[in-house]
């Protein structure tokens, strides 16, 4: 250790006392320039770019920012209004489609052009020796409609507003031209409590049926299916208004 220390001191003395060469000056200038550049860059990073602006320039910049902000808010409000309008139009169009679909389904049910199912009841009529008068079945249809029956089938024949009941020359009962025979099975969709009560009122349809010697029974169900479809009627005189 003692031998290395005098040697290091000797080298330091030689470095200090050595003559200045041009290369030393170049190295010093480069170091000075590099240091100046580093200091300038650090100052630029730490400085606020707004500090170099005058008061008028700052006011102008603030006005521009305020104008841009107001314009962006206005555009946002316009876009929100357009979105709400589109959503409202879509909702109205969807509501119109749903209403049209409901009307179409109701028209099909009323016209008997589609199979239906739902809660209701079955009324079975077994005619007696005296038979059943067509007028009595017309009364049954009327009472069913008044009681709120939504769909009616008689022995596989769909009952609609255009249904008629007659007897032919041979005494056969015809439903809209189709022959039906006893037992007469009425399949009815609607409120069973209301419908059965309406049919069994005093001097009502079932009273007339029993008076003619027929046997009438009811069976309620939460699921009643009517698969029959009424034949489309060709209208000769009625014209739909546009």
């Amino acid at each position: 250790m003692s031998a290395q220390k005098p040697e290091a001191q000797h080298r330091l003395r030689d470095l200090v006392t050595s003559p200045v060469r041009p290369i030393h000056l170049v190295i010093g200038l480069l170091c000075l320039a590099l240091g100046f550049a580093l200091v300038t860059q650090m100052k630029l990073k730490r400085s606020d770019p707004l500090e170099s602006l005058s008061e008028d320039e700052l006011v102008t910049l603030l006005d521009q920012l305020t104008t841009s902000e107001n314009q962006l808010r206005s555009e946002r409000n316009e876009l929100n209004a357009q979105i709400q309008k589109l959503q409202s139009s879509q909702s109205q169009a969807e509501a119109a489609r749903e209403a049209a679909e409901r009307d179409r389904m109701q028209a099909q049910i009323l016209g008997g052009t589609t199979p239906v199912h739902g809660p209701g009841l079955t009324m079975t009529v077994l005619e007696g020796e005296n038979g059943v008068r067509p007028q009595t079945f017309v009364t049954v249809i009327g009472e069913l409609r008044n009681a709120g029956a939504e769909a009616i089938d008689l022995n596989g024949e769909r009952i609609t507003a255009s249904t008629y009941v007659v007897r032919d020359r041979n005494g056969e009962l015809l439903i809209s031209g189709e022959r039906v025979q006893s037992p007469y099975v009425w399949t009815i969709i609607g409120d069973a409590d209301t419908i059965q009560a309406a049919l069994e009122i005093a001097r009502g349809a079932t009273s007339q049926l029993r008076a003619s010697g027929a046997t009438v029974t009811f069976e309620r169900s939460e699921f009643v299916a009517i698969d029959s479809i009424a034949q489309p009627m060709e209208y000769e005189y009625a014209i739909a208004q546009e």
Side-chain angles (χ1 to χ4, degrees), residues 21-80:
R21 299 179 181 180
I23 187 63
H24 295 159
L25 295 177
V26 173
I27 293 174
L29 291 175
L30 289 176
C31 293
L32 181 62
L34 180 60
F36 179 77
L38 290 174
V39 172
T40 303
Q41 185 176 5
M42 293 296 295
K43 288 184 177 181
L44 289 176
K45 288 183 177 180
R46 294 178 181 178
S47 63
D48 188 349
L50 297 179
E51 292 180 355
S52 60
L53 299 179
S54 63
E55 183 177 353
D56 292 338
E57 290 174 337
L58 290 173
V59 172
T60 302
L61 179 60
L62 181 60
D63 292 339
Q64 292 176 351
L65 292 175
T66 303
T67 302
S68 299
E69 182 182 4
N70 293 334
Q71 184 176 0
L72 291 174
R73 287 183 177 179
S74 178
E75 292 177 356
R76 183 191 63 183
N77 293 335
E78 291 179 359
L79 290 174
N80 288 335

Side-chain angles (χ1 to χ4, degrees), residues 68-196:
S68 299
E69 182 182 4
N70 293 334
Q71 184 176 0
L72 291 174
R73 287 183 177 179
S74 178
E75 292 177 356
R76 183 191 63 183
N77 293 335
E78 291 179 359
L79 290 174
N80 288 335
Q82 292 178 3
I83 292 174
Q84 293 177 358
K85 185 177 180 179
L86 290 173
Q87 290 176 344
S88 177
S89 299
Q90 183 178 4
S91 299
Q92 292 176 359
E94 184 176 354
R97 286 193 298 269
E98 291 177 354
E101 180 64 18
R102 286 195 301 268
D103 292 342
R104 185 184 67 83
M105 293 181 61
Q106 290 177 358
Q108 288 180 338
I109 294 173
L110 291 174
T113 59
T114 183
V116 291
H117 65 269
L121 71 161
T122 300
M123 180 178 70
T124 303
V125 179
L126 182 62
E127 78 179 352
E129 296 181 356
N130 297 328
V132 177
R133 299 171 58 217
Q135 293 83 350
T136 304
F137 273 1
V138 172
T139 301
V140 172
I141 294 173
E143 290 183 356
L144 287 174
R145 289 172 177 165
N146 292 336
E150 298 180 357
I152 308 169
D153 174 277
L154 173 57
N155 283 24
E157 298 297 326
R158 190 70 170 266
I159 306 300
T160 64
S162 60
T163 299
Y164 62 90
V165 185
V166 296
R167 282 194 182 274
D168 61 11
R169 294 179 180 179
N170 299 323
E172 299 289 343
L173 191 66
L174 303 179
I175 303 295
S176 297
E178 298 295 330
R179 183 181 292 108
V180 293
Q181 296 178 343
S182 178
Y184 305 108
V185 180
W186 295 77
T187 306
I188 308 155
I189 294 178
D191 186 345
D193 292 335
T194 302
I195 292 172
Q196 185 172 349

